[in-house]
Amino acid sequence: MKKMLLFAAFCCGILSTYADNPMIDGSSYFLPKTALRFTLLVEKTTYKPGEFSQYAERYLKKPVPNEEQKTYRILSIKMTPCGIADTTKIFKANIDTKHNISSIYKNDNGVLLAVNDRPNAVAAEAPFKAAPKPARRNPYDYLSQEILSAGNKSKMAELTAEEIYDIRDSRSQITKGQAENMPTDGQQMRLMLNNLNTQEAALVSLFNGTEDIDTIETIVNYVPEKPVERELLFRFSKYYGCVDKEDLSGSPYYIDIYDEHNVPSNSATVGKGEKNKNDSGIWVNLPGKMTVNLYQGEKLLDSYETYSAQFGRTEPLMGELFSKKMETKVRLSPVTGNVESINTELKK
């Protein structure tokens, strides 16, 4: 059954931790299935009206909203394959006098990572951290005593608008070389213009309001179980961000899954129909290639190729690898369950 969960409510299981005593959890283990993790970087813009917003059209000839608004847009989408425990693929290593299996390593979800060898450490993905925002200027720091002592808000707005137009006139005279007190050099001119721009922006914000822009991370996880065409993956709304799939206020994003029927073989496994002599109980996945297409409505956003445990097959490793005459070390991919490395040598 397909599962699609939002806001990282589902763990992809690429974990870097494992028991120091590898046998503490016994010899049973899972092989993984491959999930797709879509990481959305979303820009959230929060507009707050200014104190004089109701006078913006009268004095600055520009109507502005009088209520707070929030809007969202997707900046980027990244797809990462990851592994979760496949509870239909549970096996038990034969740890006995006939087999040279001294240790098995599993992640916290019970997925097999290595046999007779410590697995590769997988660095935990660092949590997303937005860049710090610059401090906003307080417009009241730029209001004259005359404005602050005005009897009502309408008068304050009128005087503030006059101050804005005076600032613009001063800037125009400086850039045209017509100011009474012209700067003596280029550096002084830049400093004067920057100060005028800062004052204007602070005062204009009392009419136009302010926008706070934040970047947030949203996770959409999907577990492919079979080929699909244009299956609804998630919906995204300009005014609410990610919404429920049933919420038609959001634009649809669709996914295609194509099974490429390409499963590489592995000479260390027992092929279909062959007898596994001296069965060790160590099974691995031979993952198959799949193509993933992501659409926004009718528009193709991206196409990915990756390997998936679900579109391959599962086979046991040859029992001879773990006979008492052999020392064999195996590491598996936590994403696909395929063999990443296998080292064998005769015991001395």
Side-chain angles (χ1 to χ4, degrees), residues 72-341:
Y72 301 80
R73 71 184 183 103
I74 295 176
L75 300 176
S76 66
I77 301 178
K78 180 181 72 173
M79 191 280 287
T80 307
C82 52
I84 60 174
D86 187 342
T87 56
T88 68
K89 294 181 179 179
I90 182 170
F91 301 96
K92 186 173 184 179
N94 291 326
I95 301 174
D96 52 34
T97 57
K98 296 180 180 180
H99 300 94
N100 186 18
I101 298 177
S102 58
S103 62
I104 62 172
Y105 289 86
K106 300 172 276 187
N107 67 15
D108 290 348
N109 294 328
V111 172
L112 182 65
L113 300 178
V115 181
N116 296 340
D117 197 8
R118 292 183 72 87
N120 293 320
V122 180
E125 190 169 328
F128 172 77
K129 186 177 181 180
K133 294 183 292 185
R136 179 177 286 115
R137 301 281 185 174
N138 182 358
Y140 271 76
D141 293 340
Y142 300 94
L143 295 182
S144 66
Q145 185 61 39
E146 181 184 8
I147 297 173
L148 292 172
S149 60
N152 54 64
K153 185 177 291 188
S154 176
K155 187 61 177 179
M156 289 181 69
E158 180 183 356
L159 294 174
T160 303
E162 291 177 0
E163 183 72 15
I164 291 171
Y165 287 119
D166 286 343
I167 291 172
R168 292 175 179 176
D169 184 58
S170 297
R171 183 173 57 220
S172 176
Q173 290 183 22
I174 291 174
T175 56
K176 293 176 181 179
Q178 299 173 352
E180 291 184 6
N181 298 311
M182 284 296 296
T184 58
D185 54 36
Q187 182 176 358
Q188 190 180 27
M189 176 179 282
R190 285 192 294 273
L191 181 61
M192 292 177 67
L193 291 176
N194 286 338
N195 287 337
L196 290 172
N197 291 337
T198 299
Q199 293 177 44
E200 181 188 3
L203 296 179
V204 167
S205 69
L206 289 169
F207 293 90
N208 292 349
T210 59
E211 284 188 347
D212 286 320
I213 299 178
D214 298 288
T215 303
I216 56 179
E217 184 181 76
T218 299
I219 304 299
V220 177
N221 290 308
Y222 179 85
V223 183
E225 300 288 1
K226 62 182 180 180
V228 296
E229 289 190 22
R230 296 188 62 77
E231 179 172 320
L232 183 61
L233 179 62
F234 66 93
R235 287 184 180 273
F236 189 86
S237 166
K238 177 181 178 181
Y239 299 105
Y240 304 105
C242 274
V243 296
D244 291 339
K245 292 168 69 173
E246 295 76 18
D247 188 341
L248 299 183
S249 69
S251 299
Y253 284 72
Y254 298 103
I255 190 171
D256 288 345
I257 302 291
Y258 294 107
D259 183 355
E260 300 295 345
H261 301 286
N262 180 354
V263 182
S265 61
N266 190 320
S267 60
T269 63
V270 177
K272 186 178 180 180
E274 298 181 31
K275 187 176 181 180
N276 188 19
K277 298 179 181 179
N278 197 20
D279 180 20
S280 65
I282 303 300
W283 290 66
V284 299
N285 287 329
L286 301 181
K289 181 183 284 189
M290 67 178 177
T291 298
V292 181
N293 292 331
L294 178 65
Y295 295 87
Q296 180 186 9
E298 300 296 327
K299 178 184 178 182
L300 176 64
L301 293 181
D302 214 336
S303 185
Y304 317 87
E305 283 190 352
T306 189
Y307 281 89
S308 167
Q310 296 89 298
F311 294 140
R313 60 181 183 272
T314 303
E315 293 182 356
L317 291 179
M318 292 185 294
E320 292 84 348
L321 292 171
F322 298 97
S323 70
K324 285 299 183 179
K325 299 179 180 179
M326 302 291 292
E327 289 186 355
T328 300
K329 298 179 179 180
V330 179
R331 292 178 179 177
L332 304 183
S333 164
V335 177
T336 65
N338 193 18
V339 174
E340 286 189 335
S341 67

